[in-house]
Amino acid sequence: MFEPKAINADGRQGLAALDRLAIGYLTLPLFIFLIGWFEWWAAAMFVVLSAYALRPMFFNWDGLSRAPLTAQQIAIALGVGCAWTVLGGTDHLFFANADWHVRDAVLHDLVVSAWPVGYGQHEGQETLLRAPLGYYLTAALMGKATSLSFAHVALLAWTAIGAVLFLLQVMSLVEKRASALLLASAVVVLFSGADIVGELLNAGPRFRSQWDIPMHLEWWAGSYQYSSMTTQLFWVPNHAFGGWLIIGLLYRCGLSSDLEVLLPFLLVAAALWSPLTALGLLPFIMWRAAEHLFKRHSLKLLHPKNWLPSLVVGSAVSAYLTLASGTVSNGSGLAGWSSGDAVMSLLRQLQFFLLEAGLIGLAILLIRPSVELIIALVVLAVLPAVYLGPSNDLVMRASIPALTVLAISAFIALLYKTPQPKIFRRKAFLAGLLLVGAMTPIAEISRAIIFPVWPINFQATLIGTNCGGFAPHYVAELGGQAITHVLRQPSRVALGPLGPESCNNPASEMAWRRYRF
């Protein structure tokens, strides 16, 4: 699994410069969070434990110059990554999708308010912004030192850095020929399941009569979706980067003892970016740990020094992220259904899995089978059976690591060299599936270009964008939970305008006027 790169003479693989940059990118927000949210004495303890968990970054410099990047790799990653990011709507240089209405408000509250951010009393209890904040914190800190406007520019740069780092990881897995680098980049940017086939099969004449190129295609299954790589960047970069970069690290580093001891802490850092994405990373990290145990015959990972600091810090982060989490909708996709309804639901889930992942996965397995791909397919087959969050967020976000494995496996399979004619035919089948799936990211990119830019609302708070409501998946009520004894007292942000000037979502209104479903 995740084929290893060159190993040093002593059997250990040090972290290359790109690996260190990816780890620094993922973990920096965690340090900002610990210092900004917890009482000084608790923050000091958590920061020391975090620094200890990252000790291979500071004390083992072997491998720093391993697999140096070429100017061509850097140029392609910068060009593709920056263009991809700008089209995604960050800083509203192009059309920003509907989720940016709330995302802009979260950044606003983090910049204008002292930390932790609170919203005053609701139903007699003090409230707290309780959300995965990893994506925002670096830009928000820079905005505090400058202005809210600059914070949006910083968030654009921060997003571009994440996209470029991931593309560099991707390109480090293939030959350094320009054609291979461009193919790998294209597969990642255009990777998606066959959403347009799902729309045609399930919506039929209505879809054909209403379809135009910028239409969002991914909700054809109704209750769940698997987001294309471009959809993830354009709608939910806060959830995407943790999954993308850690899967990239697993592919790049192989069975490196340096990476292995860092994985528990990287999982904690990923949870602050997106706990559901971190949940989706667990099967891959657990398999890596099992590989390390049985292939290297090493019990090193079981030593408390390699997991106890991460457990302590992770417990604090988890306690924050799960504050009042019982108010978030959840359950089974089959709960309360009759046997006939359950059968139909299972058939719909089977259709969804085959179109979104199963057929592509089978095509890759026929070319170049791997354990990580099988794990990804199992995860993607099981996820639709449960739901969590107002839009079944568990399926959308926990699938991100598995979809990343699928995308990486796809371009590796296309570039796999073999003289067998049957493999060439299988590659053609895989390429055909990828071309059909590419309609989804093409639609996302087209919308970014065709729809008009709408301005950032520099006054809207999170509560304002929710029309005065306290959304349970963003705001927690404090009622004596244990974590409150080490958290700083929340600062009450002024709620600002609560009427249409904050509540109305320009992106949603544009889509409604265009399609009027």
Side-chain angles (χ1 to χ4, degrees), residues 7 106 142 152 195 219 261 263 301 322 324 343 353 498 502:
I7 304 295
V106 172
M142 296 178 71
H152 283 274
D195 296 297
W219 279 110
V261 299
L263 284 174
L301 296 183
T322 56
V343 170
F353 168 70
L498 302 179
S502 292

Side-chain angles (χ1 to χ4, degrees), residues 42-325:
M45 176 183 68
F46 293 145
V47 166
V48 169
L49 289 172
S50 298
Y52 182 78
L54 285 174
R55 64 195 179 279
M57 291 273 287
F58 310 125
F59 298 112
N60 182 8
W61 297 99
D62 291 341
L64 185 62
S65 59
R66 178 177 55 84
L69 299 167
T70 66
Q72 186 171 245
Q73 287 174 314
I74 295 171
I76 293 174
L78 281 171
V80 175
C82 291
W84 200 19
T85 298
V86 169
L87 287 169
T90 314
D91 202 28
H92 295 237
L93 299 179
F94 282 81
F95 174 78
N97 289 298
D99 283 13
W100 283 100
H101 182 54
V102 170
R103 234 168 289 299
D104 291 340
V106 172
L107 184 61
H108 167 277
D109 295 352
L110 288 170
V111 171
V112 304
S113 172
W115 294 345
V117 178
Y119 298 101
Q121 289 202 344
H122 180 247
E123 297 182 352
Q125 291 185 310
E126 201 67 30
T127 56
L128 176 74
L129 172 63
R130 184 259 295 117
L133 300 175
Y135 173 65
Y136 306 94
L137 287 178
T138 305
L141 185 62
M142 296 178 71
K144 280 184 173 297
T146 52
S147 66
L148 178 57
S149 178
F150 184 79
H152 283 274
V153 176
L155 191 64
L156 174 65
W158 184 246
T159 308
I161 292 170
V164 170
L165 285 173
F166 177 62
L167 288 171
L168 287 171
Q169 289 180 324
V170 162
M171 286 187 284
S172 72
L173 302 176
V174 301
E175 295 179 39
K176 295 180 180 180
R177 293 179 291 112
S179 57
L181 300 176
L182 291 170
L183 176 64
S185 300
V187 169
V188 166
V189 172
L190 298 176
F191 183 83
S192 175
D195 296 297
I196 196 164
V197 177
E199 289 281 9
L200 288 168
L201 290 176
N202 290 273
R206 180 180 67 84
F207 173 72
R208 288 192 293 271
S209 66
Q210 294 179 334
W211 178 79
D212 70 347
I213 190 66
M215 181 181 289
H216 189 60
L217 300 175
E218 289 171 302
W219 279 110
W220 62 267
S223 301
Y224 29 73
Q225 65 146 289
Y226 286 154
S227 303
S228 72
M229 301 294 282
T230 290
T231 300
Q232 292 170 36
L233 182 66
F234 284 20
W235 290 76
V236 289
N238 50 321
H239 294 281
F241 285 132
W244 290 6
L245 293 174
I246 291 179
I247 291 297
L249 284 165
L250 290 171
Y251 267 101
R252 276 180 48 81
C253 295
L255 289 176
S256 161
S257 58
D258 276 357
L259 180 65
E260 265 63 59
V261 299
L262 289 170
L263 284 174
F265 190 72
L266 287 175
L267 190 64
V268 174
L272 188 64
W273 285 76
S274 171
L276 298 180
T277 301
L279 185 64
L281 284 166
L282 266 178
F284 302 100
I285 290 177
M286 290 173 66
W287 179 257
R288 171 57 66 86
E291 272 197 315
H292 184 90
L293 178 64
F294 293 110
K295 286 189 176 182
R296 296 177 67 92
H297 307 291
S298 171
L299 299 177
K300 180 178 180 180
L301 296 183
L302 300 181
H303 195 289
K305 71 178 183 180
N306 290 323
W307 55 263
L308 187 57
S310 300
L311 178 64
V312 175
V313 177
S315 297
V317 173
S318 176
Y320 163 77
L321 291 171
T322 56
L323 275 169
S325 58

Side-chain angles (χ1 to χ4, degrees), residues 178-517:
S179 57
L181 300 176
L182 291 170
L183 176 64
S185 300
V187 169
V188 166
V189 172
L190 298 176
F191 183 83
S192 175
D195 296 297
I196 196 164
V197 177
E199 289 281 9
L200 288 168
L201 290 176
N202 290 273
R206 180 180 67 84
F207 173 72
R208 288 192 293 271
S209 66
Q210 294 179 334
W211 178 79
D212 70 347
I213 190 66
M215 181 181 289
H216 189 60
L217 300 175
E218 289 171 302
W219 279 110
W220 62 267
S223 301
Y224 29 73
Q225 65 146 289
Y226 286 154
S227 303
S228 72
M229 301 294 282
T230 290
T231 300
Q232 292 170 36
L233 182 66
F234 284 20
W235 290 76
V236 289
N238 50 321
H239 294 281
F241 285 132
W244 290 6
L245 293 174
I246 291 179
I247 291 297
L249 284 165
L250 290 171
Y251 267 101
R252 276 180 48 81
C253 295
L255 289 176
S256 161
S257 58
D258 276 357
L259 180 65
E260 265 63 59
V261 299
L262 289 170
L263 284 174
F265 190 72
L266 287 175
L267 190 64
V268 174
L272 188 64
W273 285 76
S274 171
L276 298 180
T277 301
L279 185 64
L281 284 166
L282 266 178
F284 302 100
I285 290 177
M286 290 173 66
W287 179 257
R288 171 57 66 86
E291 272 197 315
H292 184 90
L293 178 64
F294 293 110
K295 286 189 176 182
R296 296 177 67 92
H297 307 291
S298 171
L299 299 177
K300 180 178 180 180
L301 296 183
L302 300 181
H303 195 289
K305 71 178 183 180
N306 290 323
W307 55 263
L308 187 57
S310 300
L311 178 64
V312 175
V313 177
S315 297
V317 173
S318 176
Y320 163 77
L321 291 171
T322 56
L323 275 169
S325 58
T327 58
V328 180
S329 56
N330 62 86
S332 164
L334 303 178
W337 288 35
S338 66
S339 58
D341 289 338
V343 170
M344 288 303 298
S345 177
L346 286 172
L347 289 175
R348 282 193 293 269
Q349 289 176 22
L350 177 61
Q351 180 196 50
F352 173 76
F353 168 70
L354 289 174
L355 290 179
E356 292 296 316
L359 292 176
I360 291 177
L362 176 61
I364 298 171
L365 286 172
L366 291 173
I367 300 168
R368 190 177 180 278
S370 62
V371 176
E372 67 267 21
L373 180 58
I374 293 171
I375 294 173
L377 291 172
V378 170
V379 169
L380 294 171
V382 170
L383 275 177
V386 293
Y387 72 83
L388 176 71
S391 300
N392 205 350
D393 297 75
L394 176 64
V395 172
M396 291 190 289
R397 311 310 171 219
S399 62
I400 286 173
L403 292 170
T404 306
V405 168
L406 213 59
I408 292 175
S409 299
F411 70 72
I412 289 177
L414 289 176
L415 292 168
Y416 179 58
K417 292 184 176 180
T418 176
Q420 301 178 46
K422 64 180 181 180
I423 296 297
F424 178 80
R425 291 192 294 270
R426 292 169 184 174
K427 286 185 178 183
F429 176 57
L430 172 59
L433 291 173
L434 294 175
L435 286 172
V436 172
M439 286 302 301
T440 299
I442 288 172
E444 296 298 317
I445 294 169
S446 299
R447 187 184 321 115
I449 296 170
I450 294 171
F451 276 35
V453 174
W454 52 278
I456 298 169
N457 189 330
F458 288 103
Q459 283 74 48
T461 65
L462 178 65
I463 306 303
T465 58
N466 200 43
C467 309
F470 287 66
H473 54 296
Y474 274 102
V475 181
E477 295 178 0
L478 303 180
Q481 300 95 329
I483 189 66
T484 60
H485 298 297
V486 294
L487 284 173
R488 293 182 179 183
Q489 185 69 23
S491 174
R492 294 188 179 188
V493 64
L495 300 185
L498 302 179
E501 63 271 32
S502 292
C503 181
N504 291 349
N505 187 326
S508 297
E509 291 175 353
M510 289 181 199
W512 176 257
R513 286 196 299 268
R514 188 177 183 98
Y515 300 116
R516 295 187 182 278
F517 292 139

